[in-house]
Amino acid sequence: MFSQALRFVRLPLLMLVIYAAARFTLGLAGVPYAPRGNAMFSVVGLTVISGIYFGAVSGKVGGFNWKGTVLIGVLLGLFAQVLVLLATWISYIGHLETYYIHWDALNVPEGTVPPMAQAMAARAGGLIAGPITGLLAVLIGRGLSFLAPSPSNRAVS
C-alpha cells in the first residue's frame, strides 16, 4: 500500500519540492519576508490544500480505504516537513539568508538569529506536527469526498 500511496501523491510531492525551492530562492533574491513574501509559496498551505484534494479523491479515484487515506496524509505532511528541515539545514550550512531561517519563521524574538541547533530542534518538531496536519487535511477531504467527481462522471468532449 505504501508504494501505491507514493505513486498516487506524486503530483503534490513534486509541487511541494517546487514550492520549497521557490520559497528558498525568495530570500536569496532579497524579497522581503513581510508583508507579502511570506505568503508566497507556503509549503504548509500547499500541504493542507493537497491533503484536502487528494483525501477527497483517495477513495473514488485511488481506490484507497480509510487506512490508505491516512497514509496519504502522513506522507504529504512528513515529506513537506523533511523539505523544510532540509532547507533550514542548507541555509545554515551555506550561510544563506533564506525564509527558512527568518526569525518569524522560527518563532523567535524579532531580529534574533538563533543558533543552528535551536533552529533544527524547532524544525524537528515539525516532523511530528507535519504528519498530523497532513492527516487532518486528508480526513477533512475524505469527509467531503461526496463532492468529488466519480470516475464514471467524466466530462464528454
Side-chain angles (χ1 to χ4, degrees):
M1 182 187 303
F2 184 79
S3 63
Q4 183 185 0
L6 265 177
R7 280 192 308 276
F8 187 69
V9 294
R10 287 180 295 188
L11 177 61
L13 295 181
L14 174 63
M15 291 301 299
L16 284 167
V17 169
I18 292 169
Y19 266 54
R23 188 171 180 80
F24 190 86
T25 59
L26 286 174
L28 295 176
V31 177
Y33 185 84
R36 305 227 189 294
N38 183 41
M40 293 189 290
F41 302 113
S42 170
V43 173
V44 173
L46 180 62
T47 303
V48 170
I49 291 168
S50 295
I52 291 171
Y53 275 118
F54 277 77
V57 298
S58 65
K60 291 180 181 180
V61 176
F64 290 95
N65 58 21
W66 280 91
K67 284 194 283 187
T69 301
V70 166
L71 178 60
I72 288 167
V74 170
L75 279 172
L76 288 172
L78 183 61
F79 186 78
Q81 290 305 310
V82 167
L83 287 174
V84 170
L85 183 80
L86 185 61
T88 303
W89 180 75
I90 291 170
S91 299
Y92 271 99
I93 294 298
H95 303 287
L96 304 171
E97 291 297 321
T98 69
Y99 284 7
Y100 292 99
I101 61 170
H102 190 272
W103 60 266
D104 198 21
L106 292 169
N107 295 320
V108 295
E110 185 173 347
T112 304
V113 179
M116 182 177 168
Q118 181 183 349
M120 295 305 287
R123 296 299 193 204
L127 295 174
I128 303 296
I132 293 170
T133 302
L135 169 65
L136 293 174
V138 296
L139 292 178
I140 290 169
R142 185 69 184 249
L144 297 173
S145 65
F146 65 93
L147 297 170
S150 298
S152 61
N153 295 344
R154 295 195 175 140
V156 179
S157 27

